[in-house]
Amino acid sequence: MTWAETPKWVVPHPNAEDREFWEGARRGELRIQRCSTCGLHQHYPRYLCSHCGADTVAFVTASGNGTVYSFTVIRQNGVPPFNERVPFVIATVDLDEPGARILAAMPTLDPSAARIGMRVQATFRPANDELGFVDFESAE
Amino acid sequence: MGRNVCVVGVGLSDGPVTPDLSPSQLIAQSFRRALDDAGLATRDIEGLASAGYGGMHEVAVAEYLGLQPHWLDSTSCGGSSFEFHAHHAFRAIEAGDVDTIAIVYGNNQLSASGRTLGTGGGGGRGGMQPPGPMKYEFPTGMTLVGAYAMAAQRHMHEFGTTAEQLASISVQTREHAHRNAGAMYRDLITVDDVLSSRLVADPLHKLDCCVISDGGCAIILTTEERARALAHRPVFVRGGAGGTTHHSIQAMGDMTHTAAAVSGPKAFAEAGIRPSDVDVFCAYDSFTYTVLVTLEDLGFVPKGEGGPFVADGSLRLGGALPTNPDGGGLSNTHPGMRGLYLLCEATRQLRGDAGDSQVEGAEIAVCNGSGGWLSTQGTVVLGTEPR
Ligand SMILES: [Zn+2]
């Protein structure tokens, strides 16, 4: 099964707190939270700011630009559909918005081209008609 | 300072492959052996600690073992749970809340689930709609091994650590397993063998990963006063501490530093020791990187210098810091969680009971459990003498 197809057991089960993240991804927006008390950002949605503890977080749309903090190449994953997608790169990306890091797949990146520090940008992939996933691709 | 606390009994189940034994039976078998080792009876056990799977696990274990404990600890933070239990038990006995506590664990990980723990959806990643922050990582195709791999990759980037250096940890651990008739894998291996084993998640190869086995383990702690009346030379708990930095790997922050940099110094200070005093290191070795990063965080070697340190043969018996003399998780046994085995092996070493694997004259041992994805760290210092 290719990256374009999402089996139903991989489709997220959104709740009131995180629905905006998944629906944003379907619309082509990376939705993260910004704290108006400390000015820092966070992924994934939470009630409190994980940096300062304030309850003053609100969704904003991130630029989608970031830098690879680290990565791995998944060469073994026994769970469908990932077993048919290997090898693929997964990266932790520090977004340009301070404070926010996201772990995401880089489906189009040649594993041999992955490196720490590479500039990347978000891309979006439907999970179903309402929800989507955030991936990243090289911006270099 | 309250009463001194000792480990007086240790027990291992049959293993490493026991398809005919359930998790409860593995617990009961190792518990029985720990009682026999200590010369104690079931009625002597007043407190119980365990970590497992499912609600009220430790209460079900108590019933299965015929215990009605008035002290319970169900701290469940992955492989490090048992170092947290030992630390809490130490504190409770020291304070006088309870005299005698058993810590138990058992799981038929291999026989029940095969080798799914790291990459097959059996480790909380890649499973079906996992709870908490794993919800965001599961749809990417991330695996448990991948989380450790990502942290190792960052260490290599920052400090020039090499795949060969990581591999040397597996090679030395296998030398120890070679001496242990009960170990799962005993054939000697080379750095090239590790590097030519298949990559599971870059930069970690198959032989950078721990084994998957079945097994149960139990230890019993009590007061020094009681310990003096029992069969074995008492092994003293000298100090302990825990730490937590994150749950999911995307929240780890600096992937080259773990909470062992917090738990280690606190435990060492309580124990009145320095890293250079340690004779045996029982390291959680879920992966080679787990050993490398905790060696640094505990202060056995400065940050970033773990690679050359391990490549120098430091982990061997007779090396600068003999590590996992029983063959560790990398070669001996790892039934889902391994933290309790570290305490068992440290006790054997300090008693001088470790046979072909004995570190001669061992007086101080450090156990460092790591849970989750380098998420939690628990450090316990044991010694042949009290603080
Ligand atoms: Zn804030």
Side-chain angles (χ1 to χ4, degrees):
Chain A
M1 191 173 275
T2 68
W3 289 89
E5 302 168 79
T6 302
K8 66 176 183 297
W9 63 88
V10 180
V11 175
H13 298 177
N15 59 37
E17 183 165 58
D18 62 35
R19 177 173 292 278
E20 177 61 16
F21 171 76
W22 305 109
E23 291 186 350
R26 183 66 182 87
R27 299 192 303 269
E29 297 176 19
L30 172 48
R31 298 286 277 169
I32 60 174
Q33 288 176 321
R34 180 181 182 279
C35 172
S36 61
T37 300
C38 71
L40 294 175
H41 302 77
Q42 67 186 6
H43 164 75
Y44 46 94
R46 276 159 277 186
Y47 191 82
L48 301 176
C49 171
S50 56
H51 303 289
C52 78
D55 60 355
T56 55
V57 292
F59 277 103
V60 296
T61 300
S63 66
N65 299 319
T67 304
V68 171
Y69 173 79
S70 195
F71 70 93
T72 185
V73 182
I74 301 292
R75 297 185 189 271
Q76 179 177 326
N77 184 330
V79 177
F82 309 113
N83 58 345
E84 296 173 17
R85 295 176 180 173
V86 293
F88 55 87
V89 175
I90 292 186
T92 34
V93 176
D94 285 333
L95 300 179
D96 286 358
E97 290 77 13
R101 180 181 291 173
I102 183 170
L103 181 143
M106 299 189 67
T108 61
L109 185 67
D110 177 348
S112 66
R115 65 176 178 80
I116 287 172
M118 83 185 296
R119 290 290 291 163
V120 295
Q121 64 191 28
T123 61
F124 302 93
R125 176 163 52 93
N128 60 21
D129 289 345
E130 295 174 13
L131 312 172
F133 299 120
V134 177
D135 297 326
F136 279 81
E137 66 181 14
S138 173
E140 296 179 346
Chain B
M1 190 181 297
R3 308 184 296 179
N4 286 324
V5 180
C6 301
V7 182
V8 292
V10 296
L12 294 175
S13 74
D14 294 347
V17 184
T18 55
D20 297 330
L21 292 175
S22 71
S24 296
Q25 289 175 308
L26 289 163
I27 288 173
Q29 189 181 61
S30 54
F31 175 66
R32 185 64 251 166
R33 290 173 183 175
L35 285 173
D36 292 343
D37 180 60
L40 291 172
T42 297
R43 65 177 175 278
D44 296 315
I45 304 301
E46 307 165 284
L48 180 70
S50 190
Y53 311 91
M56 292 183 67
H57 160 81
E58 67 294 335
V59 185
V61 169
E63 178 179 300
Y64 187 86
L65 296 177
L67 298 173
Q68 295 183 317
H70 64 80
W71 182 95
L72 273 179
D73 184 6
S74 54
T75 302
S76 183
C77 49
S80 65
S81 301
F82 311 91
E83 279 66 34
F84 281 71
H85 296 160
H87 175 219
H88 298 165
F90 163 55
R91 198 65 74 223
I93 296 169
E94 178 188 52
D97 290 348
V98 57
D99 285 346
T100 307
I101 291 172
I103 310 175
V104 301
Y105 176 73
N107 194 11
N108 55 349
Q109 182 77 38
L110 177 65
S111 295
S113 306
R115 291 185 168 81
T116 60
L117 186 61
T119 62
R125 285 166 193 271
M128 300 306 165
Q129 294 291 342
M134 294 306 150
K135 182 175 188 175
Y136 301 94
E137 302 194 353
F138 161 63
T140 68
M142 187 59 162
T143 63
L144 185 158
V145 182
Y148 285 86
M150 207 172 257
Q153 189 91 262
R154 183 71 197 187
H155 198 281
M156 294 166 96
H157 172 78
E158 288 196 24
F159 302 112
T161 305
T162 66
E164 289 80 2
Q165 291 166 345
L166 288 170
S168 75
I169 296 171
S170 275
V171 170
Q172 293 167 75
T173 308
R174 183 62 64 87
E175 290 175 14
H176 299 164
H178 186 67
R179 296 163 174 264
N180 178 357
M184 193 156 183
Y185 296 107
R186 300 183 63 206
D187 292 343
L188 294 172
I189 55 173
T190 65
V191 166
D192 281 346
D193 289 334
V194 179
L195 299 184
S196 60
S197 65
R198 72 175 186 279
L199 280 162
V200 177
D202 302 17
L204 298 180
H205 305 78
K206 181 185 174 199
L207 292 179
D208 285 299
C209 306
C210 68
V211 309
I212 302 289
S213 71
D214 303 321
C217 185
I219 72 169
I220 297 170
L221 300 92
T222 192
T223 62
E224 178 181 8
E225 184 185 359
R226 288 195 174 197
R228 293 285 182 202
L230 298 174
H232 288 285
R233 174 181 175 180
V235 168
F236 292 84
V237 183
R238 295 180 56 124
T244 306
T245 46
H246 62 281
H247 185 215
S248 57
I249 197 73
Q250 70 182 354
M252 185 168 179
D254 179 350
M255 291 186 187
T256 68
H257 288 76
T258 73
V262 173
S263 63
K266 282 182 71 176
F268 290 8
E270 179 173 35
I273 65 155
R274 294 167 302 174
S276 58
D277 296 325
V278 178
D279 301 306
V280 187
F281 180 34
C282 293
Y284 206 105
D285 57 347
S286 43
F287 300 91
T288 49
Y289 179 66
T290 320
V291 178
L292 185 93
V293 70
T294 54
L295 276 169
E296 294 177 349
D297 288 336
L298 293 170
F300 292 120
V301 61
K303 181 53 66 180
E305 296 179 20
F309 180 77
V310 297
D312 202 31
S314 301
L315 311 185
R316 293 196 167 100
L317 300 181
L321 184 66
T323 298
N324 293 340
D326 66 341
L330 287 169
S331 288
N332 178 6
T333 191
H334 191 296
M337 296 192 275
R338 184 174 156 77
L340 196 50
Y341 287 81
L342 309 180
L343 294 154
C344 181
E345 175 62 8
T347 300
R348 278 173 10 108
Q349 289 287 335
L350 295 174
R351 284 178 177 176
D353 278 354
D356 288 347
S357 306
Q358 183 65 46
V359 175
E360 291 305 324
E363 295 179 347
I364 298 284
V366 166
C367 303
N368 189 79
S370 176
W373 305 273
L374 301 164
S375 315
T376 62
Q377 304 288 325
T379 311
V380 175
V381 181
L382 302 179
T384 53
E385 301 295 331
R387 289 171 286 173

